[in-house]
Amino acid sequence: MRSVLLTVEGMSAGYSGVDVVRELDLTIDKGEVVALLGPNGAGKTTTLLALAGVLTPTSGKVRYRDAPLRGALHRRARRGISYISEQGSVFSRLTTLANLRLGPGPVEDALALFPELEPLLGRRGGLLSGGEQRMLALARSLAGKPDLLLVDELSLGLAPLIVTRLLERLRAAADAGTAVLIVEQHASQVLAVSDRGYVLRRGRLSTSGTGAELLASPDVLRSAYLGTG
Ligand code: ATP
């Protein structure tokens, strides 16, 4: 049975009084992977920042587990919402182990999710490759078994094989109950593991559908890649 976790109704958000996301409606169910797609500058990151509590929406309603979602990032973390920024959210001067210890869950659970991190435990975060940093951020976050994980541009600068591995873990986390909202400019790999997706264009919702529907739509893919169509 469908179990709605997050409902966004008519949300607008932006910077210095100028809305760059306008009247957005979306829902996320428990255990779903939802992709938020669109070209550069469409408002994907802004949407995620508003849901994470980094930005305050200028209007609209956001409900999480049947109550209004308010408060800053750390308060939302206590309500089971985890946010991974485009920069990866890894502390570059701390070792992999220290980064994992700062997380909300046991280090062993993080390592069980990504055994690749084990030989890197003594290495500083800043010396890890891009893919390793993303693994570290995901491992740390998922070990806390969040109810909702917000991930920005997971694939940025990574080889497709690593992206596949990360997406596989996200899909498994969703199947175990974590809802995932994933912002992505390059749609096809993410849609392959997504239940549903939304496409933003110039701050507004342009299309939505199941992962399979969006994957099969050349127009949607073209607009997500190139900002045209
Ligand atoms: P990208 O893939 O480039 O991150 P995006 O879809 O995530 O694209 P946003 O980062 O949400 O888009 O940006 C939406 C609009 O808001 C863009 O026009 C951008 O220039 C503007 N914007 C983003 N951050 C700020 C900021 N800190 N101050 C002012 N305007 C901003």
Side-chain angles (χ1 to χ4, degrees), residues 5-181:
L5 185 67
L6 183 87
T7 311
V8 177
E9 269 178 35
M11 185 181 82
S12 298
Y15 308 91
S16 317
V18 180
D19 287 342
V20 297
V21 171
R22 293 184 204 96
E23 290 164 34
L24 182 68
D25 295 329
L26 65 83
T27 60
I28 304 174
D29 291 356
K30 187 175 186 296
E32 256 192 328
V33 177
V34 175
L36 186 58
L37 309 168
N40 249 331
K44 305 180 299 295
T45 295
T46 305
T47 301
L48 219 56
L49 291 175
L51 297 179
V54 179
L55 278 179
T56 307
T58 51
S59 60
K61 284 189 202 154
V62 182
R63 293 180 71 77
Y64 175 69
R65 299 178 180 290
D66 282 330
L69 183 61
R70 297 201 192 92
L73 189 63
H74 65 278
R75 280 188 55 193
R76 293 182 195 210
R78 283 205 293 272
R79 293 190 66 192
I81 300 179
S82 182
Y83 164 63
I84 301 180
S85 73
E86 209 167 325
Q87 289 75 30
S89 310
V90 164
F91 294 96
S92 58
R93 288 172 177 273
L94 301 183
T95 62
T96 297
L97 180 60
N99 268 283
L100 289 176
R101 282 188 178 143
L102 284 174
V107 170
E108 309 83 71
D109 290 4
L111 292 175
L113 290 166
F114 286 105
E116 295 95 324
L117 294 172
E118 208 137 349
L120 306 171
L121 283 174
R123 193 170 300 176
R124 285 207 282 171
L127 298 178
L128 302 178
S129 70
E132 290 162 351
Q133 289 194 17
R134 292 312 253 173
M135 275 183 205
L136 173 53
L138 276 189
R140 187 177 60 195
S141 186
L142 290 175
K145 298 194 168 47
D147 294 316
L148 175 62
L149 175 61
L150 307 167
V151 194
D152 204 350
E153 292 280 352
L154 183 80
S155 75
L156 204 70
L158 302 184
L161 213 60
I162 294 172
V163 178
T164 303
R165 167 89 178 109
L166 299 175
L167 289 174
E168 208 180 73
R169 290 295 356 159
L170 282 181
R171 183 66 254 177
D175 293 340
T178 294
V180 181
L181 179 63

Side-chain angles (χ1 to χ4, degrees), residues 206-223:
S206 90
T207 319
S208 63
T210 64
E213 281 166 359
L214 293 179
L215 258 184
S217 157
D219 284 350
V220 165
L221 283 183
R222 194 174 59 235
S223 79

Side-chain angles (χ1 to χ4, degrees), residues 38-40 185 200-202 220-229:
N40 249 331
Q185 198 178 341
L200 284 182
R201 177 124 18 106
R202 294 192 201 97
V220 165
L221 283 183
R222 194 174 59 235
S223 79
Y225 277 123
L226 306 171
T228 59

